[in-house]
């Protein structure tokens, strides 16, 4: 297949991560290395929203300096902005796709790279399907990112390793914090992950060198309050400071979210229903059943944006994933998502690709082999899978005592 | 005054910080350097609780290796354990003090170093007062630590700089995270500090190189919901992603905590009253009044235990404070708290000491000159005070992708 000459576009979509800009940097690096074929790389402001509104920046211009790319790689969240806009089905709303094609033609765009999670891969699949029906040659590539690590067809996703490193380190620090008093106390740490327990499983890594959480609950197992009380009491019998890592998405056997079940219909002073959350629900449950000191901690946004503690392995792979997407597209690959193919002993990752149609709209959950029989901990196989992903530290440039970020104005 | 020969004891008390072990390391270093005068340094397990129960470890033995001291300096929380035990007044319960004196005599203890915040300085003051009434020569020194920075008589407290660096960096990362979408949204970040707004004021540092929070509210100013709505609306008119930093301890003009006022008396499914917290209250308030997307984030425990992001300035000063306490005591100082005396341009800190009786049980709040007239931001004078305290990064040893900690077994 001969080289296709034309410009490229890149967009970022879905929730921010600590590594999505590293992947963007990779795409920019890939295009800069292929400038004979791809003269200009347009960055879409707010993903598909920016595409439809022709809001672009010229990334080939902004990132002429290597220094800017390095700073971008240490900057959390989507530097181009993100969106939650979901492309319609091509046969339901052909006009939107015709409009996109018009814009591609107007800017002589032959390459389209979309960095994101499941919804973004769905957009890539739809755009690919549409382009097969028109007479315009283009290459469309999905470049994965999600802290949730829930995309199928790839060993793991860019962004997950950095979130996992933040969670493992923070749990390790919280375990030290909780260890200082002698009175019985339960600390419940609520971790992101609505459908898959990957992020929560990373809390187990804290036990690799020091003390990890006593109990870990993932959405992959039905949650039983009775078993939870039994587990916590057994842990308290061993030592006074029990730390529990729990996924926000755990559900009871009947499928209801544990977090949702705390709602009693009660309203606050503004008339809004109280939304307790999983951690707060379990805090109240422990207070009732056990009566000891108990505290819920929600790790919240820092899980996905703590770039100061990014995994060097994750950032390197994220850059490489973006960078590899460009020659793949130039060589004729289209309608694919970039994937990570792993070998162990020693850990090594090769970047490849797979048809996005077999990837989009599916969820990869934590396999049984990684969860202990009791459903309250991670097995050695799980730890072996997770451990290499958080290795290595970045050395961001600090300015005024804080990491320097690159902001695209 | 001639040298007083005898052993020493050191304890840690109050809430954990990222720097309290650095101060402990300093005391150990100081004693190792004075071993002709002080042969043994006993570490009290869980502060005064360990003193009364004779639960000690021999720190001079455990920390013979420099490497262990360095790892200890990067380990968060109190390695000796902490306590919330409050010493009684000497005239109300002389027996407790007689018991302490008996233990001091039994172990030939002539030096007592107590690392902690306000309650610990109160213990130092009481012990000093008691010892003046008995015929046993001893030197009692309070070594400050508190992330709250609310001790009088010193420019700032060990532990504050590291918490401030974590808060400034995390706010900066959250601002980037929130900037990715185009829809109007308010993110409310709740920061520790019941009586003083020092920690919350540190969020302003994020603006030094990049974007900081739009609005900052401290407990030093009465909080008005009407003014808050006006402020948030004005910020939303400028850009869609508004970030608000708010102290957990803000109060209305009538003195009630904003967090407490969310309580409607409503109960959850376990029959416990909902405790919303300041951030959650303001989230609900914004939802009612403005109706845009709104989210509350509580920084919680990581503020005080995120040693991986400690301020090198803070850790160095914490070690130096502990280390300086020993020759001070040997030279005859007693009943004092170690203090930081600052000069600016360039920033420099000299460690000195002041009588603890003039320090204990007082709270140093953020001065008027550091808060803007509108009561929703920090002045340049405030930023100038804060900025040097977060400078410099530690390089902890990483093991399995997480910082290595030293645990006293």
């Amino acid at each position: 297949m001969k080289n296709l000459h034309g410009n490229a576009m890149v967009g970022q979509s879905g929730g921010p991560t600590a590594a999505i800009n590293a992947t963007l940097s990779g795409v920019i690096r890939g295009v800069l290395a292929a400038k004979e074929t791809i003269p200009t790389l347009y960055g879409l402001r707010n993903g598909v929203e920016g595409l439809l509104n022709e809001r672009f920046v010229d990334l080939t211009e902004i990132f002429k300096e290597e220094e800017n790319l390095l700073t971008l790689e240490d900057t959390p969240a989507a530097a181009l902005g993100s969106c939650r806009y979901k492309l319609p089905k091509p046969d339901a709303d052909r006009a939107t796709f015709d409009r996109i094609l018009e814009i591609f033609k107007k800017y002589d765009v032959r390459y389209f790279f979309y960095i994101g999670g499941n919804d973004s891969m769905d957009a890539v699949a739809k755009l690919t399907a549409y382009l097969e029906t028109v007479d315009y040659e283009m290459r469309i590539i999905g470049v994965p990112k999600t802290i949730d690590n829930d995309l199928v067809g790839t060993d793991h996703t860019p962004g997950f390793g950095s979130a996992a490193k933040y969670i493992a380190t923070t749990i390790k620090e919280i375990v030290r914090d909780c260890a200082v008093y002698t009175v019985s106390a339960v600390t419940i740490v609520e971790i992101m992950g609505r459908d898959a327990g990957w992020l929560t499983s990373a809390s187990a890594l804290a036990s690799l060198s020091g003390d990890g959480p006593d109990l870990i609950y993932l959405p992959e197992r039905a949650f039983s309050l009775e078993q939870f009380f039994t587990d916590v009491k057994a842990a308290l019998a061993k030592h006074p400071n029990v730390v529990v890592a729990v996924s926000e998405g755990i559900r009871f056997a009947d499928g209801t979210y544990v977090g949702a079940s705390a709602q009693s219909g009660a309203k606050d002073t503004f008339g809004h229903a109280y939304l307790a959350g999983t951690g707060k629900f379990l805090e109240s449950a422990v207070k009732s059943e056990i009566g000891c000191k108990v505290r819920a901690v929600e790790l919240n946004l820092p899980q996905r944006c703590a770039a100061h503690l990014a995994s060097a392995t994750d950032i390197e792979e994220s850059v490489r994933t973006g960078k590899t997407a460009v020659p793949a597209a130039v060589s004729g690959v289209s309608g694919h998502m970039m994937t990570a193919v792993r070998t162990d002993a020693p850990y090594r990752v090769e970047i490849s690709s797979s048809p996005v149609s077999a990837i989009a709209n599916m969820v990869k959950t934590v396999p049984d082999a990684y969860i202990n029989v009791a459903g309250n901990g991670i097995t050695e196989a799980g730890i072996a899978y997770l451990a290499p992903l958080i290795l290595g530290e970045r050395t961001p440039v600090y300015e005024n005592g804080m990491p320097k970020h690159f902001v695209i104005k």
Side-chain angles (χ1 to χ4, degrees), chain A residues 293-312:
Chain A
K293 199 182 141 196
V294 53
R295 179 204 300 253
V297 178
E298 196 184 340
L299 292 192
N300 220 312
L301 292 185
Q303 289 165 94
R304 69 181 196 196
C305 65
H308 74 269
L309 190 63
S311 153

Side-chain angles (χ1 to χ4, degrees), chain A residues 252-394:
Chain A
F252 292 115
D254 67 2
T256 49
Y257 283 103
V258 170
S261 68
Q263 277 45 279
S264 60
K267 304 264 168 82
D268 67 16
T269 45
F270 295 99
H272 296 133
Y274 276 105
L275 295 170
T278 307
K280 282 285 174 194
F281 171 82
L282 295 178
E283 177 186 296
S284 195
V286 168
K287 210 182 289 174
S288 277
E289 174 70 18
I290 304 180
C292 66
K293 199 182 141 196
V294 53
R295 179 204 300 253
V297 178
E298 196 184 340
L299 292 192
N300 220 312
L301 292 185
Q303 289 165 94
R304 69 181 196 196
C305 65
H308 74 269
L309 190 63
S311 153
T313 298
D314 180 34
I315 299 298
E316 184 277 322
E317 290 177 4
S318 298
V319 173
R320 191 146 50 92
T321 302
K323 196 173 174 185
T324 308
V326 180
V330 169
S331 75
V333 173
S334 187
H336 276 214
M337 182 184 87
M338 304 308 291
T339 59
V341 182
R342 166 174 177 163
T343 50
D344 274 308
Y347 170 85
R348 211 159 46 83
V349 161
E350 198 188 312
I351 306 302
S352 184
S353 74
S354 284
V356 74
S357 52
I359 290 171
N361 303 312
M362 293 167 72
V363 172
K364 185 178 75 177
T365 54
V366 179
D368 284 351
Y370 293 178
I371 308 172
N372 71 2
V373 176
N376 60 18
I378 303 302
T379 61
E380 297 218 349
I383 288 181
Y385 166 83
L386 295 163
L389 309 182
I390 71 162
L391 291 183
E393 290 71 53
R394 299 284 295 177

Side-chain angles (χ1 to χ4, degrees), chain A residues 35-171:
Chain A
K35 62 175 176 233
E36 310 289 296
T37 310
I38 308 175
T40 301
L41 175 64
Y42 296 104
L44 307 179
R45 287 289 198 173
N46 304 102
V48 175
E49 271 179 38
L51 174 57
L52 289 165
N53 300 311
E54 295 180 59
R55 291 194 297 115
F56 317 135
V57 288
D58 182 348
L59 294 172
T60 16
E61 190 58 33
I62 295 171
F63 289 98
K64 277 188 298 198
E65 320 285 336
E66 168 73 10
E67 194 192 328
N68 289 347
L69 283 172
L70 289 173
T71 308
L72 180 66
E73 288 163 15
D74 286 321
T75 302
L80 289 171
S82 183
C83 71
R84 293 281 186 194
Y85 177 84
K86 215 170 147 67
L87 273 182
K89 287 192 175 166
D91 47 4
D93 176 9
R94 204 166 165 86
T96 297
F97 288 87
D98 291 344
R99 165 92 185 112
I100 290 174
L101 178 61
E102 195 183 299
I103 294 164
F104 284 157
K105 285 180 176 170
K106 179 173 169 187
Y107 293 92
D108 188 24
V109 171
R110 297 288 180 169
Y111 297 92
F112 185 76
F113 303 97
Y114 210 40
I115 309 172
N118 236 323
D119 283 349
S120 315
M121 295 312 127
D122 179 63
V124 168
K126 284 170 176 165
L127 205 51
T128 303
Y130 167 81
L131 284 163
E132 278 164 7
T133 68
V134 297
D135 182 28
Y136 185 76
E137 193 182 352
M138 261 195 81
R139 313 271 161 79
I140 313 284
I141 302 272
V143 194
K145 76 79 216 165
T146 166
I147 60 166
D148 292 324
N149 200 37
D150 60 352
L151 293 177
V152 302
T154 187
D155 181 74
H156 56 276
T157 56
F160 172 64
S162 293
K165 187 185 185 82
Y166 176 83
I167 289 164
T169 296
T170 303
I171 287 281

Side-chain angles (χ1 to χ4, degrees), chain A residues 244-257:
Chain A
V244 181
V246 62
S247 167
E248 62 175 336
I250 53 168
R251 282 175 289 254
F252 292 115
D254 67 2
T256 49
Y257 283 103

